[in-house]
Amino acid sequence: MRYLPLSNKDRESMLNTIGIESIDNLFDELPKSEVPQNLPKHKSELQVDRELSQIANENLPYTQVPSFLGAGNYCHYSPASLDYIIQRGEFLTSYTPYQPEISQGTLQVIFEFQTQVALITGMEIANASMYDGATACAEAISMASRINKRSKVLISGGLHPHYIDVSKTQLKHLGFDFKVLDPYVSGKEDLLNQIDTNLSCLVIQNPSFFGNIQDYTSIANECRYKGVLLIVVVTEPVSLGLIKSPGEMGADIVVGEGQSLAGPSNFGGPGLGFFASLQKYVRQMPGRLCGQTLDKDGKRGFVLTMSTREQHIRREKATSNICTNSGLIALAFSVHLTLLGESGFLELANINHKNAVELSIRLNNIPKIKVINSSFFNEFVVELPRSAGSVIDELTDLNILAGIPVSRFYPEHPHLSNLMLVTATEMNTKSHLDSFIDALNKVL
Amino acid sequence: MKNNFLHEEPLIFEYPVSDNSAVDFDSPLGESENLGGIKRSNPIGLSSLSEPEVVRHYTRLSRQNYSIDTGLYPLGSCTMKHNPRLNEKMVRLKGFMDIHPFQPEKTIQGAYKAINLLSDWLIDLTGLPAVAMSPAAGAHGELCGLMCIRAAHEHNGENERKVVLVPESAHGTNPASASLCGYSVESIPCNSKGRVDLDALNNRLGDDIAAVMITNPNTCGLFETDALRISDAVHNAGAYFYMDGANFNAIVGRLTLKQLGVDAMHINLHKTFSTPHGGGGPGAGPTVLSESLAPFAPVPFVVKKNKNLFMVEHSGSNQSEFSIGRMKGFHGQFGVFVRALSYIMSLGADGLSQVSGDAVLNANYLRVRLSKYLTPFHNGTCMHEVLFDGSFLDGTGTRTIDFAKAMIDSGFHPPTMYFPLVVEGALLFEPTETESRQSLDELIDAVIKLAKKAMKKETPEFFENSPVNAPRLRLDETLAARKPILRWTPNPVLKAAE
């Protein structure tokens, strides 16, 4: 068995040292048990590779066909050096950096990651990561309530439905009072009149789940005036290269999903929750924080800090129960942003937007199709003449991953059934757009 | 470690600013914009490096890390075992890596199949009938199990059960998760052997108790020999029995949980099933559930209908009438699932029982060889980790932390220190099964040498100043917490290291 270095001779002599007969004797205190019934015996590396490759082959990778999928998970190109760096064993196979003298690599990466997240969101500080955008959103709501000691939560109809569901599940026993507005696909949602002094926080998403972008400055001002915290969710951080940042608009807490910059979809997980806020709220933040300090020689170094907020110190009074986070995905996100740099990040955002606009123009030229959004970044909603699910199904048979039926997320809102979410990124070529338009003309 | 080949590396933001990038792009497909006037106008302040500079930056940083790939990592409770590279190869198959969570179901039957296969095997390995796959890590799995427990109590009209009992030796996540589930937490003491005090537990059980959370094997490295009596007592009191599965590596393939009367247990795929810790994550915490808790499992989950697999995504449908709802975006930690699957297939039933056998053998070998020099917390057989208390250092002027830090200069990562909290000056070693006899002997020799040195009482400052050969000397954690600098700014308060 290739992962087990002890030889039978080693085992025998070690048992001898311990003074027992067999390995089974080490388990004498355990009750007699049935052993697993169905699990096969061990397999060679080649055989595992064969069997898993066969299962993988039953999937259609989005990189093999024209693909226009988004809804909180975006398909971007990963530079080759990104995967090389995250596969270095010193990063991949290290634990949480609790021994800072021998973990400066991971710690400096976290410090750079925290800085990058703060910079692109326009916030003062950021933490070392959460599981994903949805759980980060729930944690942000909980943090807001610790800050202003209120429990009413207003959620925009433009927030990703998974984020709404996760927040409601995760916080259901903590006495929150949720008001979730209906999905808003177009026009402007009336938030201004719903901000009152009983409200703990308002949660909005920009670009929204339906792709709309909006300047929330006046809403942020109203929130500040009423002591309400504004939580801005970003599910496509590439957008921050082109649109005004949540910090510039006046957000108090910014959370989101970093997958889009961190690498391929992996069927949606593991993701990367990023979490940023104003400095004054730092003691209420969940999760790990990396800070700068000095060693005994006066050299700069980094450590995990302010851990009295965390479960391993504070136990039931901790700001969160999170321990394991998304370290490696945060590294990937950070490496990608470093590879892009300022100019590359702006350019990537620019290409995404222009490709999406080009696609929207071409779709709008099809008489039976209407683009709903008045403005957007790289994702928008189109209205089809019949159920989006059926159109997507037929396009799949023509080898096009066309978009996502909005109704998948809102079974309780059948009037949305003709709507399809469509995304274009730098991955899409002119020939992808041509095939998409041709196929639509064929099936409609 | 300190030598001319280990470079100091500035922050990416401290490199000269230019318009460089390590990425070249094709032109966009069109030139029109549609931003509604919300364009960014200020520069962001990101770095500007070319590819060779970026690769060198991260390669240099990586060399300042200790890792499993470079050495034995005996962190108790963390199961730092070898991370097979086949797992990494498998998760990078295009059919696993390049699939989007919302592709049409007919294009992702393989993904559903992989999730189903892993669920079946986790069910087989634990003997419990169901598994919730979506929790993202151990603590998230604890929350999942407790939420199912709370839903079951509420379903049965038992709304007055508001207390969760947790032994004082528990991981900090246990009380934190119970608290997130709206429960109050009470601690139950351990007996002198570090096991749950059954009498104290029995005295506290009653109709206000929702659940009891027990780590087994416990954090003192011992099997809870009263496990069956504990679960009977818990069930007789109308409460549910949660088992923390962080230490599953000690018993995998040898003991099913059904026999222990377990109602819920999370499985850290990043511990027992070899997926990498990645400097802090990601992990995955699938949570196995007993028959009475299974109906409350979170969405989404994969079900089979005729020959096809499909996913139940919303609570309240026919198949998810009682579900607690959704705990995570999308469909769980799929990339972690594939790695765990690759590992389980590689080892099989026979290999996994050898895993727990060798893990426990290695820990006991350490125990016996080190016991003459260190003070073992318990004299009998331990499970996959061995606990020493700090009393061997009494009167030497050397503290547990100093002793552990000195191990760094011998080339080893220190064990877990000062945990579990019930043991003073604790040192918890978990060697795992992927260490050879030779590497264990090297660790043992190094620890004995240090213990002898400490006993001589001549050089407490040697320990206080350790490590001296690491990329940094001891760092000032008080300074970091008192004046937090959590990001780079253009005018740094502290000067960069020369």
Side-chain angles (χ1 to χ4, degrees), chain A residues 359-371:
Chain A
L359 176 62
S360 78
I361 293 169
R362 295 192 58 184
L363 286 171
N364 232 359
N365 285 340
I366 300 176
K368 292 174 186 163
I369 292 182
K370 195 178 138 203
V371 173

Side-chain angles (χ1 to χ4, degrees), chain A residues 223-263:
Chain A
C223 282
R224 188 133 313 158
Y225 182 64
K226 301 265 170 72
V228 177
L229 281 107
L230 178 64
I231 298 172
V232 178
V233 171
V234 180
T235 64
E236 171 50 301
V238 174
S239 67
L240 298 173
L242 196 60
I243 64 177
K244 203 168 156 183
S245 73
E248 286 175 276
M249 295 183 194
D252 294 288
I253 304 173
V254 180
V255 294
E257 175 58 61
Q259 168 277 329
S260 119
L261 277 169

Side-chain angles (χ1 to χ4, degrees), chain B residues 89-255:
Chain B
K89 184 180 177 194
M90 293 300 95
V91 78
R92 285 169 175 80
L93 292 170
K94 281 199 172 297
F96 288 141
M97 180 174 73
D98 291 345
I99 50 172
H100 188 279
F102 302 130
Q103 282 183 216
E105 292 202 305
K106 59 185 167 189
T107 67
I108 44 167
Q109 286 293 306
Y112 289 176
K113 199 181 262 186
I115 294 174
N116 236 19
L117 202 53
L118 181 61
S119 323
D120 284 349
W121 289 349
L122 294 178
I123 283 170
D124 195 39
L125 282 166
T126 56
L128 291 193
V131 57
M133 293 299 286
S134 65
H140 206 218
E142 292 170 15
L143 183 62
C144 169
L146 289 167
M147 290 197 123
C148 292
I149 287 170
R150 181 150 179 171
H153 281 313
E154 285 173 1
H155 182 74
N156 299 330
E158 305 236 2
N159 294 319
E160 72 288 359
R161 295 184 179 272
K162 288 287 164 64
V163 179
V164 169
L165 299 180
V166 173
E168 31 179 12
S169 59
H171 298 116
T173 50
N174 290 183
S177 301
S179 172
L180 255 184
C181 196
Y183 285 129
S184 63
V185 181
E186 288 181 30
S187 191
I188 10 171
C190 299
N191 62 28
S192 59
K193 291 183 170 165
R195 293 190 168 101
V196 173
D197 183 334
L198 191 59
D199 290 337
L201 174 68
N202 272 320
N203 287 338
R204 184 57 192 90
L205 282 170
D207 52 17
D208 60 335
I209 306 298
V212 177
M213 300 178 86
I214 305 278
T215 307
N216 198 11
N218 66 25
T219 58
C220 298
L222 302 180
F223 189 76
E224 291 285 353
T225 41
D226 281 332
L228 290 170
R229 266 170 290 216
I230 292 171
S231 66
D232 283 347
V234 170
H235 290 147
N236 287 337
Y240 288 99
F241 182 28
Y242 187 95
M243 183 162 139
D244 182 326
N247 293 339
F248 192 54
N249 203 47
I251 56 173
V252 63
R254 290 178 180 265
L255 180 63

Side-chain angles (χ1 to χ4, degrees), chain A residues 329-404:
Chain A
I329 319 294
L331 169 68
F333 177 99
S334 191
V335 171
H336 196 183
L337 261 184
T338 306
L339 286 164
L340 289 165
E342 177 95 4
S343 64
F345 185 54
L346 302 187
E347 185 56 16
L348 176 64
N350 181 47
I351 294 171
N352 269 261
H353 179 60
K354 285 180 174 161
N355 285 2
V357 173
E358 180 65 16
L359 176 62
S360 78
I361 293 169
R362 295 192 58 184
L363 286 171
N364 232 359
N365 285 340
I366 300 176
K368 292 174 186 163
I369 292 182
K370 195 178 138 203
V371 173
I372 303 284
N373 306 54
S374 53
S375 66
F376 55 86
F377 172 63
N378 66 356
E379 182 168 28
F380 53 88
V381 178
V382 294
E383 186 172 12
L384 299 168
R386 55 188 168 90
S387 131
S390 68
V391 174
I392 289 165
D393 195 54
E394 290 163 38
L395 291 172
T396 305
D397 292 339
L398 298 171
N399 263 332
I400 291 172
L401 294 171
I404 301 164

Side-chain angles (χ1 to χ4, degrees), chain A residues 104-113 302, chain B residues 9-11 57 61:
Chain A
Q104 285 300 305
T106 295
L107 285 160
Q108 183 167 331
V109 165
I110 298 174
F111 191 79
E112 292 176 350
F113 169 78
F302 303 95
Chain B
E9 182 60 19
L11 293 166
H57 173 74
L61 285 184

Side-chain angles (χ1 to χ4, degrees), chain A residues 2 11 13 32-33 42 59 63 73 94 99 106 114 124 172 240 242 293 300 339-340 342 355, chain B residues 14 21-22 29 40 44 46 65 89 95 98 100 259 279 324 346 350 358 405 437 472 476 486-487:
Chain A
R2 58 189 183 274
R11 290 186 184 106
S13 105
K32 288 277 158 281
S33 174
H42 71 276
N59 296 325
T63 38
N73 192 289
S94 61
Q99 300 299 320
T106 295
Q114 289 177 175
E124 290 169 352
K172 81 164 91 175
L240 298 173
L242 196 60
T293 188
R300 178 177 67 182
L339 286 164
L340 289 165
E342 177 95 4
N355 285 2
Chain B
E14 293 165 342
S21 170
L29 301 175
R40 182 185 269 283
I44 301 171
L46 296 171
N65 267 4
K89 184 180 177 194
D98 291 345
H100 188 279
Q259 276 175 293
I324 57 167
S346 294
D350 50 338
D358 285 358
K405 293 282 189 192
R437 165 85 187 267
R472 284 291 178 276
D476 189 343
L486 305 173
R487 58 172 285 191

